[in-house]
Amino acid sequence: MIGKKIILTGGTGGLGESIVKELIGRGAHVIVIGRNQQRLKSLSETYQNISVFQLDLGDKVQVRKFINDVQRDGQTFDGIVNNAGYGYFKSFEHHTDEDITDMFNVNVVHTLLLIKGLVPLLRPGASIVNIASQAARVTTPYGSVYAATKAALLSFSNALRLEHPELHIMTVSPGPIATNFFSRADKTGLYESTTKSIQLDKDALARDIVEAMIDKKLEVNRPGWMHQSLTVYHLAPRTIEKILRRFFLSKKF
């Protein structure tokens, strides 16, 4: 990764900052896109080989301006890691119109616009890494909108891989991660507490992601037992949903 220039969205905390540390530790220069100016400033003061850009991925105008700026500068890049995203764990009817549109914009629509604008600036063999979720592969009541955004991102990534064989396109589908994601997704704190024993370590996951980028892997699925269980689930999903109904309703509080 020495000398590689990697763009990272959602890099100001949690898994994103762990990816920043891992990339920089391996010699990459990281261009971090984030919304929180104070956290961006802290990153720039903490790490070398880093550039920061304040950008709200929920704002299409800001996304377009960033794309125009980097296109005008004539820069080229070795990768994009799309980590920005969020979700809510509540019933579908309790999502407001803004909840739905804003989540799809950040998790899917504007992420795709960013990729579309940056693909011409990627060097041959460059990586596009999209952070999806194990929720993309399973029926997720009381998290239906979030799961739908991640399923869309996963489907898009697999198709884009065939359209652009000159690029390395990788998906990352993690289960619950020990970050502050839950403080927004579930303000009751109950889902976080019930999944604490299986939550992934963000630093270990970041290391797996960067190593997979180096090895040009197509997928990172963690934890392995969850991915394998969902592969079995897809053999008879409706039957398994009936048998394990209480498990599938685990986000209902």
Side-chain angles (χ1 to χ4, degrees):
M1 301 295 283
I2 295 175
K4 302 269 187 196
K5 291 173 62 178
I6 310 292
I7 295 174
L8 170 68
T9 69
T12 55
L15 176 62
E17 185 170 357
S18 292
I19 295 173
V20 169
K21 289 189 291 186
E22 192 68 30
L23 286 169
I24 290 176
R26 293 173 184 260
H29 181 92
V30 185
I31 300 95
V32 179
I33 295 172
R35 186 175 57 179
N36 189 306
Q37 182 62 44
Q38 185 174 355
R39 290 181 182 175
L40 290 170
K41 183 174 183 291
S42 176
L43 284 176
S44 65
E45 292 172 346
T46 303
Y47 302 103
Q48 296 180 336
N49 293 330
I50 191 170
S51 303
V52 297
F53 288 87
Q54 185 177 21
L55 186 157
D56 181 357
L57 202 58
D59 187 328
K60 182 179 178 180
V61 173
Q62 292 186 35
V63 173
R64 186 70 257 172
K65 183 180 184 303
F66 174 79
I67 293 170
N68 290 340
D69 287 347
V70 295
Q71 287 177 341
R72 185 171 54 251
D73 290 345
Q75 299 184 60
T76 57
F77 304 96
D78 299 288
I80 312 166
V81 180
N82 292 298
N83 176 65
Y86 67 95
Y88 295 117
F89 296 161
K90 55 186 176 182
S91 67
F92 174 64
E93 60 267 28
H94 280 94
H95 285 75
T96 66
D97 292 355
E98 289 74 21
D99 286 342
I100 295 169
T101 55
D102 291 351
M103 201 189 311
F104 263 93
N105 281 339
V106 171
N107 294 8
V108 185
V109 178
H110 295 169
T111 293
L112 267 59
L113 294 181
L114 185 65
I115 293 171
K116 181 174 180 287
L118 294 177
V119 161
L121 306 180
L122 296 179
R123 297 168 183 153
S127 296
I128 298 176
V129 180
N130 290 328
I131 311 296
S133 169
Q134 291 291 341
R137 304 181 61 236
V138 64
T139 299
T140 311
Y142 298 92
S144 59
V145 179
Y146 171 71
T149 66
K150 293 302 184 179
L153 187 62
L154 190 62
S155 179
F156 163 77
S157 303
N158 291 332
L160 190 68
R161 184 182 298 118
L162 298 183
E163 293 185 20
H164 284 277
E166 78 283 5
L167 299 175
H168 165 234
I169 297 173
M170 184 175 82
T171 58
V172 180
S173 295
I177 309 170
T179 67
N180 62 0
F181 171 87
F182 300 104
S183 63
R184 185 174 190 176
D186 172 33
K187 295 187 182 301
T188 70
L190 293 175
Y191 186 76
E192 181 178 15
S193 64
T194 58
T195 61
K196 189 169 289 293
S197 63
I198 64 168
Q199 288 177 18
L200 297 165
D201 177 78
K202 64 183 187 299
D203 293 330
L205 180 58
R207 184 168 57 251
D208 287 348
I209 291 169
V210 174
E211 288 178 353
M213 290 174 68
I214 294 169
D215 294 338
K216 302 296 185 183
K217 292 185 178 180
L218 303 184
E219 297 181 359
V220 173
N221 301 292
R222 298 289 185 275
W225 64 264
M226 184 179 291
H227 179 72
Q228 292 163 6
S229 298
L230 292 180
T231 299
V232 174
Y233 156 80
H234 279 284
L235 297 175
R238 305 295 84 83
T239 299
I240 293 174
E241 288 162 12
K242 288 180 181 179
I243 296 171
L244 300 177
R245 179 176 172 82
R246 289 184 63 184
F247 168 79
F248 282 93
L249 294 175
S250 62
K251 292 182 177 68
K252 181 181 180 181
F253 298 113

